[in-house]
Amino acid sequence: MNSATNGPAPAGRRPVIGVCARTAPVTLQGSDMVVALALQSHVTFLSEAGCTPLLIPLLPGAEELTGRLDGLLVPGGPDLDPALYGQEAHPATRAMSPEADRVELSLVGRAFDAEIPVLAICRGMQLLNVLHGGTLHQHLSDVTGHDGHRPRTPSFTLGRRPLKLLPGSRIAGILDEDGPETACHHHQAVDRLGAGLAATGWAEDGTVEAVEATGRSFAVGVQWECGQTADRRLHHALAQAAAGA
């Protein structure tokens, strides 16, 4: 497996991509329980790109696994504890899990220390910003005046917003299309950008939709819900980075 100095996966071995687990209550065969899970699409997209996904529950000591990883995917999830960036909770901030937040911050921080490729999605991008000393808008509609980033509908609906990408950025190279748009579902977003991060994508209302860590081969955060659509390009880019391609 990979060492703390990082490097491409050895020839002949499938790169191992850690996927941070989320917890959720479910009813299975009539029994209520809480499970650790990942979106099947994350698992499928990484597997079909030639990787072995590894679910990482957010328990103390999770950061010790980074020496066995070739890449890390940090998915969407609940709101971060605002105390992590020096704020009181907004009335709309909810479903926080401070202990899991701190474990995930430690895990991602260790991945950065080891220069492991990282793809951070939605909450993952927000955590990446907080890790680097940034802050968040806790309720985006207070800033934008609309709910287009998280439509208020009876069922889960993705907000489709025009996306402006920084020419020459990694994210622009991955998407490489005219008229890109987000497929998002978030009510929080980057406020003050963290040190060492560069904004490389924006919605038409100025909301930061993509960030990249400067001086890193692959450390990308996107605010939209890749994994909730059929678009595999970001997952495949992470897989290529993990393989050293």
Side-chain angles (χ1 to χ4, degrees):
M1 290 292 185
N2 231 345
S3 69
T5 58
N6 200 42
R13 179 174 69 76
R14 291 169 66 93
V16 176
I17 306 293
V19 180
C20 296
R22 300 292 175 235
T23 58
V26 301
T27 300
L28 184 63
Q29 296 181 337
S31 178
D32 294 333
M33 62 187 73
V34 176
V35 299
L37 51 77
L39 281 177
Q40 183 61 39
S41 56
H42 291 323
V43 173
T44 299
F45 294 170
L46 292 171
S47 179
E48 71 182 17
C51 298
T52 299
L54 176 66
L55 188 67
I56 303 179
L58 297 180
L59 300 172
E63 68 276 7
E64 300 300 330
L65 289 173
T66 54
R68 302 185 179 187
L69 301 178
D70 302 297
L72 181 65
L73 187 150
V74 190
D79 293 337
L80 287 166
D81 179 3
L84 293 170
Y85 49 96
Q87 293 184 12
E88 298 291 330
H90 185 284
T93 298
R94 61 189 188 281
M96 295 176 289
S97 180
E99 292 183 3
D101 291 345
R102 285 158 177 80
V103 171
E104 193 166 41
L105 282 166
S106 181
L107 174 62
V108 177
R110 187 72 68 87
F112 263 74
D113 290 344
E115 297 189 0
I116 294 170
V118 173
L119 172 61
I121 300 168
C122 197
R123 164 204 158 93
M125 179 178 125
Q126 295 163 11
L127 182 137
L128 194 63
N129 190 53
V130 171
L131 175 67
H132 287 80
T135 63
L136 304 178
H137 294 301
Q138 289 192 52
H139 196 51
L140 189 54
S141 61
D142 291 348
V143 179
T144 63
H146 64 80
D147 292 309
H149 294 275
R150 189 182 67 174
R152 293 189 180 185
T153 56
S155 60
F156 182 88
T157 303
L158 295 172
R160 302 283 181 169
R161 316 297 302 179
L163 181 63
K164 178 182 178 181
L165 301 176
L166 180 68
S169 63
R170 179 173 287 276
I171 190 69
I174 293 169
L175 299 186
D176 190 26
E177 62 181 328
D178 294 327
E181 65 176 15
T182 65
C184 57
H185 192 86
H186 62 98
H187 83 113
Q188 300 196 337
V190 167
D191 181 5
R192 186 183 71 242
L193 192 64
L197 299 178
T200 55
W202 302 264
E204 86 288 355
D205 57 15
T207 300
V208 175
E209 291 286 332
V211 300
E212 300 176 26
T214 57
R216 297 278 176 170
S217 59
F218 191 97
V220 175
V222 299
Q223 191 59 75
W224 60 89
E225 295 283 357
C226 63
Q228 296 281 4
T229 71
D231 189 346
R232 295 155 160 77
R233 288 174 293 180
L234 281 160
H235 295 78
H236 286 204
L238 174 63
Q240 290 170 6

